[in-house]
Amino acid sequence: MGAPGAGKGTQATSIADYFGIPAISTGDIFRANVSQQTELGRQVEAILSAGDYVPDELTEQIVADRLDQPDAAKGFLLDGFPRTMHQVGALDDYLDARGIQLDAVLVLDADPDDLVGRLLRRAQLEGRADDTEETIRHRMDVYLRDTEPLLGHYESEGLLAKVAALGTVEQVRSRIVATLDRADGRGAIDDVS
Ligand code: AMP
């Protein structure tokens, strides 16, 4: 988990490779469907451009279908899901029904104002269509309103680990690996700053 611009996507693939499990990014799934102009892509295109959240039921169904694929049977890393309390409930139901437990909920921790600055620079460099200044600020507001409260929920479950998101990609990666190696197989974890 983490606010827009915290570096979730960059870290998710390499961390998943390290553990030999798939990285499942709802943002990537939606973007791929938009660029391929699938039925789903047409449904979500305007939502992504506005920086709003795709409806819970639709997002939850996509994640459940992806988790049902054989490559997720030995473990998985969710990138950008869950983002709402409703999605937390859906994920809990999915996992409970299969007797699976999350090992850790990792948040890339950074100051929202620093992240807005980072996203504005990235938007200039990459020209991402969903990265206008207005959209960036809106995405941050939506995150703070709908998603940040989930951190308290996972903290109370003893699953939350905060990792400082600032630094080089390699520094952040090392912090994450150290944190998750400690969490592996035991569930309770400490903060690494
Ligand atoms: P991301 O790349 O994770 O920032 O996701 C890009 C966009 O996809 C978000 O701004 C949302 O519009 C949508 N999205 C990704 N994950 C979710 C989710 N769990 N719930 C609702 N919308 C999502």
Side-chain angles (χ1 to χ4, degrees):
M1 298 181 72
K8 293 190 300 294
T10 308
Q11 296 294 336
T13 325
S14 90
I15 297 300
D17 281 352
Y18 175 84
F19 286 100
I21 55 176
I24 299 173
S25 159
T26 41
D28 282 353
I29 293 171
F30 291 138
R31 275 187 293 274
N33 277 274
V34 169
S35 65
Q36 289 159 25
Q37 284 293 299
T38 65
E39 176 60 34
L40 171 65
R42 280 190 290 274
Q43 267 179 281
V44 303
E45 187 164 13
I47 300 172
L48 261 68
S49 307
D52 288 319
Y53 284 171
V54 174
D56 284 330
E57 280 81 2
L58 183 56
T59 307
E60 290 156 9
Q61 188 58 53
I62 282 158
V63 172
D65 289 347
R66 181 63 189 84
L67 287 175
D68 283 341
Q69 300 299 307
D71 65 335
K74 63 184 187 318
F76 50 83
L77 186 157
L78 291 169
D79 163 16
F81 182 94
R83 264 173 149 105
T84 66
M85 209 54 216
H86 194 279
Q87 293 178 14
V88 169
L91 180 61
D92 281 348
D93 291 347
Y94 180 95
L95 298 175
D96 285 350
R98 290 159 184 79
I100 306 169
Q101 283 170 354
L102 294 177
D103 292 310
V105 175
L106 195 116
V107 58
L108 291 180
D109 192 33
D111 177 66
D113 290 335
D114 290 346
L115 293 177
V116 168
R118 195 198 268 203
L119 282 171
L120 289 172
R121 284 191 297 279
R122 185 175 82 181
Q124 277 182 335
L125 289 172
E126 296 178 12
R128 281 170 49 147
D130 58 347
D131 275 359
T132 66
E133 177 162 0
E134 191 191 348
T135 310
I136 287 168
R137 294 196 188 282
H138 182 63
R139 284 166 69 204
M140 190 62 72
D141 290 345
V142 171
Y143 173 82
L144 294 173
R145 186 190 67 202
D146 292 345
T147 303
E148 202 182 52
L150 309 189
L151 303 183
H153 167 78
Y154 283 123
E155 188 158 37
S156 70
E157 304 228 309
L159 287 172
L160 193 73
K162 281 189 191 173
V163 169
L166 292 183
T168 65
V169 169
E170 192 44 49
Q171 282 169 336
V172 177
R173 182 179 187 277
S174 303
R175 285 178 209 138
I176 295 173
V177 167
T179 305
L180 292 181
D181 273 341
R182 280 205 306 275
D184 208 13
R186 67 178 178 88
I189 40 197
D190 317 312
D191 289 358
V192 172
S193 310

